[in-house]
Amino acid sequence: MIPNNIRSQFPILDQQAHGHPLVYLDNAATTQKPLSVIETLDAYYRSQNANIHRGTHYLATTATEAYEKVRRQVQQFIGARHSHEIVFTRGTTESINLVASSFGKRYITAGDEVIVSGMEHHSNIVPWQLAGATLRPIPFSDRGELDLCAYERLFTPQTRLVAVCHVSNTLGTINPVRQIIDMAHAHGVPVLVDGAQAVSHVPVDVQQLGCDFYCFSGHKMYGPMGVGVMYGREELLSELPPYQGGGEMIETVTFEHTTYNQLPYKFEAGTPSVGDVLGLGKAIEFMQQLGLKNIADHEADLLRYATDCLLRLPGIRLFGTAPDKASVLSFLVGDSHPYDVGTLLDQLGIAVRTGHHCTQPVMDRYGIPGTVRASFAVYNTRAEVDALYAALERILPMLM
Ligand code: PLP
């Protein structure tokens, strides 16, 4: 059960937007932050701020210990074998770019192929193109389910990697990543999982999944912006070249030659966002205290309720109706442009996202310009779904 007073931990929710109580349903873009995370950032800059790893003084040592503690916390949170398999980045986008750049330098040459799904975020498409790969997309059904038979046929001797999202940010589909990974490994191909939309909704155990890389962002799981994680299997990370050069990632430097630091520091060049990493640790604590299962059950209830509500309205078209879905509801109202719907809802205090959600190939697949997307988090309520329904009912005559 989610405690009734959960919203009191999120001060931002208690405000008006355009004269109406704010109803925040844009959680797939970013979640709001609980007081414990906000206070952690405040406390860090009040009493702990120092550059880490390189100092011998009190503050540097305390900040370093706190930072490394979160690395071990993340290791446990996603079930990694070693804490040095956890690399802190700025977010999912940087995590994927890191792998595309380092793995790409080592293994991808012109004509090589990367299999992605047809529902990837641009962050899991463009980095592979930049790395010089040819993309082979896995098609998906009208309901938003990947076609695994077609996937099997995409493997060729040129396939270097499979890169798929765990949960689609536009359709909500929870992809069968375990099966996708097993199938890739049967071809000797490693797999990167984009977990940006998964970690706050489904329990993740990277060893059970067997994935080679797993990437996610702090800000989509109640943590701060500016911090994310790239998990990589030790064997792979050890043989990859560094992503960026600079401080901390080196062992020795001369003008002729540089040797690199051990894992994970080889991939963490420059001063990291220490306060944000500590905030990420608090966000993990927040979710674990509530219980991931409780969060998932609460969101599943909201998704079911909202789906039933919306389908009662005339002219609503849902996109993404797979049985295994996270709390994302993408829809269109008749032939109205999603921006019009989003703007009218905003005037009534309802925050949803509109557009292609950085998944233009998904929009092309359905032949639409974009969708309206409502996405739920642990602090949302059935009353807020009612508010969305009432607002849609009110604006329908203006749209049809
Ligand atoms: N992948 C997916 C599935 C996403 O939903 C997002 C963000 O919406 C990203 C990647 C990129 O995340 P970030 O902008 O935090 O780097």
Side-chain angles (χ1 to χ4, degrees):
M1 280 289 282
I2 299 300
N4 286 334
N5 64 353
I6 182 90
R7 290 174 73 86
S8 64
Q9 295 185 47
F10 292 85
I12 200 170
L13 298 175
D14 185 20
Q15 62 175 298
Q16 304 263 309
H18 306 297
H20 298 271
L22 171 69
V23 174
Y24 185 79
L25 301 179
D26 193 18
N27 295 288
T30 196
T31 53
Q32 301 302 348
K33 322 302 172 202
L35 277 171
S36 58
V37 169
I38 298 170
E39 283 160 5
T40 296
L41 292 178
D42 185 69
Y44 173 73
Y45 285 108
R46 278 178 194 278
S47 61
Q48 255 183 317
N49 178 50
N51 210 329
I52 55 168
H53 291 139
R54 277 157 285 192
T56 45
H57 59 80
Y58 171 77
L59 281 182
T61 316
T62 347
T64 303
E65 277 168 10
Y67 179 87
E68 290 303 330
K69 187 168 162 230
V70 178
R71 200 188 302 277
R72 294 190 292 277
Q73 210 183 334
V74 173
Q75 175 204 351
Q76 280 159 16
F77 179 61
I78 61 167
R81 185 171 287 123
H82 309 290
S83 63
H84 56 252
E85 294 178 316
I86 306 298
V87 174
F88 289 119
T89 64
R90 283 190 298 125
T92 309
T93 302
E94 188 177 42
S95 297
I96 299 174
N97 274 278
L98 189 167
V99 180
S101 165
S102 294
F103 183 91
K105 269 190 210 117
R106 187 78 203 256
Y107 293 110
I108 299 177
T109 49
D112 284 344
E113 297 171 2
V114 170
I115 297 177
V116 293
S117 86
M119 58 178 83
E120 292 311 312
H121 190 281
H122 298 161
S123 293
N124 202 19
I125 296 175
V126 186
W128 307 111
Q129 292 172 334
L130 290 174
T134 301
L135 296 185
R136 295 278 173 245
I138 312 168
F140 60 89
S141 69
D142 285 348
R143 298 204 311 179
E145 290 172 294
L146 292 179
D147 178 345
L148 295 188
C149 295
Y151 167 54
E152 177 59 40
R153 290 193 296 272
L154 290 176
F155 287 93
T156 73
Q158 271 67 52
T159 310
R160 295 288 167 264
L161 187 90
V162 172
V164 287
C165 58
H166 197 162
V167 173
S168 157
N169 63 310
T170 300
L171 305 172
T173 314
I174 302 176
N175 287 318
V177 279
R178 175 80 201 264
Q179 205 179 338
I180 289 171
I181 292 162
D182 287 349
M183 287 167 73
H185 285 174
H187 290 272
V189 173
V191 181
L192 173 142
V193 179
D194 170 353
Q197 295 293 339
V199 276
S200 61
H201 305 288
V202 293
V204 172
D205 185 315
V206 290
Q207 286 190 74
Q208 258 177 29
L209 287 177
C211 58
D212 301 280
F213 302 101
Y214 196 97
C215 307
F216 57 98
S217 303
H219 72 98
K220 292 183 194 287
M221 48 184 286
Y222 310 102
M225 288 187 173
V227 60
V229 169
M230 190 281 291
Y231 155 83
R233 261 195 319 110
E234 182 185 35
E235 300 74 22
L236 270 165
L237 290 186
S238 305
E239 61 189 40
L240 294 187
Y243 168 52
Q244 294 179 326
E248 195 56 34
M249 49 74 72
I250 58 92
E251 187 186 46
T252 61
V253 178
T254 66
F255 288 113
E256 290 72 38
H257 186 64
T258 294
T259 56
Y260 306 127
N261 205 341
Q262 62 198 24
L263 293 177
Y265 310 111
K266 180 171 90 172
F267 293 106
E268 291 185 0
T271 303
S273 197
V274 181
D276 294 325
V277 166
L278 305 196
L280 173 64
K282 269 291 163 209
I284 292 174
E285 236 174 81
F286 166 79
M287 291 198 298
Q288 287 177 329
Q289 273 163 12
L290 287 175
L292 282 169
K293 168 99 175 58
N294 290 333
I295 298 176
D297 287 350
H298 177 75
E299 291 173 351
D301 174 69
L302 289 177
L303 180 69
R304 265 192 309 271
Y305 184 65
T307 307
D308 290 349
C309 284
L310 257 63
L311 286 175
R312 287 207 301 275
L313 291 165
I316 294 281
R317 281 187 289 160
L318 293 184
F319 296 88
T321 50
D324 209 5
K325 247 191 91 169
S327 56
V328 167
L329 200 50
S330 260
F331 61 94
L332 283 177
V333 184
D335 293 326
S336 310
H337 197 282
Y339 288 116
D340 294 338
V341 180
T343 307
L344 290 168
L345 286 175
D346 175 56
Q347 289 305 307
L348 298 170
I350 317 266
V352 291
R353 186 134 299 238
T354 59
H356 54 61
H357 318 301
C358 297
T359 55
Q360 285 186 5
V362 173
M363 302 307 143
D364 294 343
R365 158 74 177 72
Y366 289 108
I368 54 175
T371 70
V372 182
R373 183 185 72 185
S375 49
F376 307 106
V378 69
Y379 40 69
N380 289 124
T381 62
R382 279 187 172 217
E384 288 184 307
V385 175
D386 291 339
L388 169 68
Y389 176 83
L392 281 168
E393 214 175 18
R394 188 162 155 197
I395 65 173
L396 267 177
M398 292 179 236
L399 295 167
M400 305 295 243

